[in-house]
Amino acid sequence: MSTTDKSAQETGMPTVVLVHGAFAGSSSWNGVIADLKRRGYPVIAVANPLRGLQKDAAYVRALLDSLPGPVVMAAHSYGGLVMTEAAAGASNVKALVYVASVSPDVGESVIGLLGKYPGSQLATSITMVPVPSEDGGMTMDQYIVQDKFPEVFAADVDPDTAAIMAATQRPSSASAQEEGVTKAAWKTIPSWTLITTQDRGIPAELQRFLADRAGSTTVEIAASHAVAVSQPGPVAELIDTAARATTRSMQMSRSRQG
């Protein structure tokens, strides 16, 4: 049984799988989901565990492998690393959409990429909280200090909503930010990138560099890191563009085979 109400096979449209990043949750996609559903897409906003890149990617890949029919993936922030790893070799994933995100190459991590260009305020806004690890020891969880959250993460979100986002943020394990990807799905799957020019989390210059390297189709928008919350319409529009391009490509392929 599909994890969506209507599968891609039933609707004739690809399933959209959304992957959130650190300091956010699946609800950060709510506005995007509402828009995509109005357009008729089956949608799943996966609950990214944020426990480590390989663990997170394995979790997302298990979901991908359960889905019938074609899939278009979209990821925000650290979710871009997870998507890049998880989608590699997944035959049903037809398009990748990076939203205020990173598209790493093999061996690259969040920390390593953020060091390439100036402008990120994340490093000076993080607080560490020690928590038990699975092996019985201790590890560190990362939070954005709540007072700094609106400025760093959600500068164009209304203050009341930004304050709620700060209070409900999902922490990421420190290791998730340090691990490098072992596979790069964008090398074999076409990609689209939404670049946020007012981003204080992942600088726009870094987003441009990564999108250009990946050969990604890009759109730029004046928005903060939390663009899926502040401006869900353009995010949904780019996902729709990727999905339509994917559908046309599949139809042309089937036509040639027929």
Side-chain angles (χ1 to χ4, degrees), residues 42-58:
V43 184
I44 302 172
V46 63
N48 188 357
L50 305 178
R51 294 298 86 196
L53 176 58
Q54 293 305 318
K55 293 177 182 177
D56 298 343

Side-chain angles (χ1 to χ4, degrees), residues 50-51 126-133 137-143 171-178:
L50 305 178
R51 294 298 86 196
I126 297 293
T127 184
M128 297 284 199
V129 177
V131 295
S133 61
M138 298 295 291
T139 187
M140 303 296 288
D141 264 3
Q142 297 181 331
Y143 291 84
S172 168
S173 68
S175 63
Q177 310 300 314
E178 297 164 355

Side-chain angles (χ1 to χ4, degrees), residues 64-206:
L64 295 177
D65 289 344
S66 76
L67 297 174
V71 169
V72 170
M73 294 188 74
H76 175 251
S77 195
Y78 160 77
L81 275 85
V82 176
M83 178 172 73
T84 298
E85 182 85 19
S91 60
N92 58 336
V93 178
K94 305 302 181 182
L96 308 173
V97 183
Y98 292 93
V99 178
S101 186
V102 288
S103 47
D105 204 346
V106 173
E108 292 179 338
S109 65
V110 170
I111 289 178
L113 288 172
L114 289 180
K116 286 183 176 290
Y117 293 94
S120 176
Q121 297 180 16
L122 283 173
T124 58
S125 305
I126 297 293
T127 184
M128 297 284 199
V129 177
V131 295
S133 61
E134 293 179 355
D135 62 7
M138 298 295 291
T139 187
M140 303 296 288
D141 264 3
Q142 297 181 331
Y143 291 84
I144 297 176
V145 175
Q146 288 196 29
D147 288 347
K148 295 183 177 181
F149 189 99
E151 177 185 356
V152 174
F153 199 93
D156 59 348
V157 175
D158 77 83
D160 289 342
T161 300
I164 292 171
M165 292 171 65
T168 60
Q169 64 181 289
R170 290 272 311 281
S172 168
S173 68
S175 63
Q177 310 300 314
E178 297 164 355
E179 290 182 49
V181 299
T182 64
K183 299 180 282 291
W186 52 262
K187 293 185 176 182
T188 57
I189 302 172
S191 66
W192 284 255
T193 298
L194 190 146
I195 295 169
T196 40
T197 61
Q198 307 301 313
D199 202 315
R200 295 168 183 164
I202 299 176
E205 191 175 2
L206 173 59

